[in-house]
């Protein structure tokens, strides 16, 4: 494909950076530092998306992605995951871009890439959604996590203030369709960290407006965002932990997922260490090890996807520590 066409494709399909501004979205602004953090995350996501749109191959995109600072590189890989999924889903984009991306350095960022695929699903017609059987059987629920984040981020009134829940999506059609709402809620919980401007007390207040049966997944997502994106000081993380109440082990589970994602990608940063210390009561390496040790082997119990079994086993480990988190 001529370079001029790839450049045009990037310009046509990449959303404008103003769409990631807190003022544009109407999100809470806690302070200048948190606003700059969240807007940099959004800008970097779009940068990664653009690299995928313009690259001749995923390997070429990787060269650009690897130049992005450590703190934000995972978000660029997430954006690239969306970009390559869009190319796979569009008539002129071809097929296999995501597979090739994950066969390279994208594999280290597989969690973020899968979340990016969910962003693409939110913008593609349903008949162009990815083939579930081509995705990892354990991790593919992260795609719906990404979908949920997108919907809450761009349709905040409906999904957050109106508490809309998608329960009848035709994906995945043959793998525990009753779990769809749970996976999407985990993404909505992550988005609440952005919508609330990283202000833990406000995030918890928004979560507590949802029905009780949804709060565990929402708190899990918020804990993941607090550990991966950051933006909160120690006292704020303590507030998130305490406000979670009986859902504190799910906050710890989300934080442990964040630690695992950053360590796997070689992107560990100080705010992840702070979060796991407070929300998990351990170092990022120890929290990531909990996720490794809990990873299910063999068939999951009837009625539950292996992914949910995994999350519950992790949460149970933290519950056994007395609810997780250090005093």
């Amino acid at each position: 494909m001529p370079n001029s066409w790839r450049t045009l494709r990037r310009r046509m399909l990449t959303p404008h950076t103003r769409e990631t501004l807190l003022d544009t979205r109407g999100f809470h602004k806690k302070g200048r530092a948190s606003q700059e953090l969240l807007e940099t995350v959004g800008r970097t996501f779009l940068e990664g998306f653009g690299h995928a749109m313009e690259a001749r191959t995923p390997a070429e995109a990787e060269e650009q992605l690897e130049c992005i600072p450590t703190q934000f590189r995972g978000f660029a890989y997430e954006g690239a995951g969306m970009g390559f999924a869009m190319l796979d889903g569009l008539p002129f984009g071809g097929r296999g871009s995501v597979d090739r991306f994950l066969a390279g350095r994208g594999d280290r960022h597989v969690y973020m890439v899968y979340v990016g695929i969910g962003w693409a699903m939110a913008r593609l017609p349903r008949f162009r959604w990815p083939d579930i059987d081509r995705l990892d059987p354990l991790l593919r629920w992260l795609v719906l996590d990404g979908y949920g984040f997108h919907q809450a981020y761009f349709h905040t009134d409906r999904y957050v203030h109106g508490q809309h829940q998608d329960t009848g999506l035709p994906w995945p059609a043959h793998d525990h369709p009753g779990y769809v709402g749970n996976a999407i809620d985990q993404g909505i919980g992550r988005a609440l960290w952005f919508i609330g401007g990283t202000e833990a007390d406000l995030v918890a207040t928004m979560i507590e407006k949802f029905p009780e049966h949804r709060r565990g997944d929402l708190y899990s997502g918020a804990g993941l965002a607090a550990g991966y994106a950051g933006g909160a000081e120690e006292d704020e993380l303590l507030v998130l932990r305490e406000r979670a109440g009986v859902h504190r082990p799910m906050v710890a589970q989300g934080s442990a997922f964040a630690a695992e994602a950053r360590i796997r990608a070689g992107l560990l940063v100080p705010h992840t260490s702070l979060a796991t210390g407070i929300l998990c009561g351990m170092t990022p390496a120890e929290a990531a090890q909990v996720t490794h040790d809990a990873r299910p082997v063999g068939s999951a119990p009837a009625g539950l996807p292996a992914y949910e079994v995994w999350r519950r086993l992790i949460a149970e480990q933290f519950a056994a520590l007395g609810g997780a988190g250090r005093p």
Side-chain angles (χ1 to χ4, degrees), residues 13 15 45-46 49 52-53 76-88 98 101 112-113 115-121 123-124 150:
L13 296 178
F45 178 96
L46 293 181
F49 179 88
M53 287 290 107
Y77 269 89
E78 180 184 354
M82 176 187 178
F84 287 125
M86 289 287 290
L87 291 176
D88 283 348
V98 171
F101 190 41
M112 303 301 284
V113 173
V115 167
I117 295 171
W119 277 67
M121 281 177 55
R123 301 201 169 202
L124 288 168
H150 177 282

Side-chain angles (χ1 to χ4, degrees), residues 94-294:
R95 288 287 185 176
S97 296
V98 171
D99 290 344
R100 291 190 294 274
F101 190 41
L102 288 172
R105 277 179 282 195
D107 177 66
R108 299 176 65 192
H109 306 268
V110 61
Y111 303 109
M112 303 301 284
V113 173
Y114 269 45
V115 167
I117 295 171
W119 277 67
M121 281 177 55
R123 301 201 169 202
L124 288 168
R126 290 186 177 183
F127 71 93
R128 304 297 296 185
W129 282 6
D131 178 2
I132 185 176
D133 293 320
R134 296 183 65 87
L135 301 174
D136 182 284
L138 177 64
L139 299 180
R140 57 196 180 197
W141 293 102
L142 285 168
V143 173
L144 288 178
D145 182 306
Y147 177 91
F149 185 104
H150 177 282
Q151 298 302 81
Y153 190 90
F154 289 103
H155 307 290
T156 309
D157 283 344
R158 186 180 189 203
Y159 280 82
V160 176
H161 305 307
Q163 301 173 6
H164 173 76
Q165 188 171 33
D166 288 311
T167 57
L169 292 184
W171 193 101
H174 61 279
D175 183 10
H176 301 283
Y179 188 70
V180 165
N182 299 85
I184 291 175
D185 275 351
Q186 292 152 34
I188 293 174
R190 283 195 306 113
L192 289 175
W193 190 251
F194 287 69
I195 295 164
T198 78
E199 187 161 317
D201 206 34
L202 176 58
V203 172
T205 295
M206 288 191 290
I207 290 174
E208 289 165 11
K209 292 180 180 179
F210 282 77
E212 172 63 32
H213 71 274
R214 300 180 63 180
R215 294 177 193 170
D217 289 313
L218 295 168
Y219 268 117
S220 172
L224 200 161
Y228 197 95
E233 300 297 333
E234 180 173 352
D235 59 337
E236 296 174 289
L237 292 169
L238 287 168
V239 167
L240 180 65
R241 191 188 75 180
E242 295 309 310
R243 290 284 302 270
V246 297
H247 303 295
R248 188 183 298 178
M250 297 310 300
V251 175
Q253 175 270 315
S255 180
F257 263 24
E260 159 66 5
R262 280 203 170 272
I263 288 175
R264 178 187 173 107
L267 302 177
L268 186 60
V269 289
H271 69 247
T272 303
S273 299
L274 177 65
T276 55
I278 293 172
L279 302 178
C280 302
M282 56 184 65
T283 67
E286 291 168 337
Q289 189 62 49
V290 170
T291 72
H292 280 293
D293 294 344

Side-chain angles (χ1 to χ4, degrees), residues 51-63:
H51 289 320
M53 287 290 107
E54 195 167 6
R56 289 173 296 180
T57 64
E60 184 175 275
E62 290 168 9
E63 296 302 319

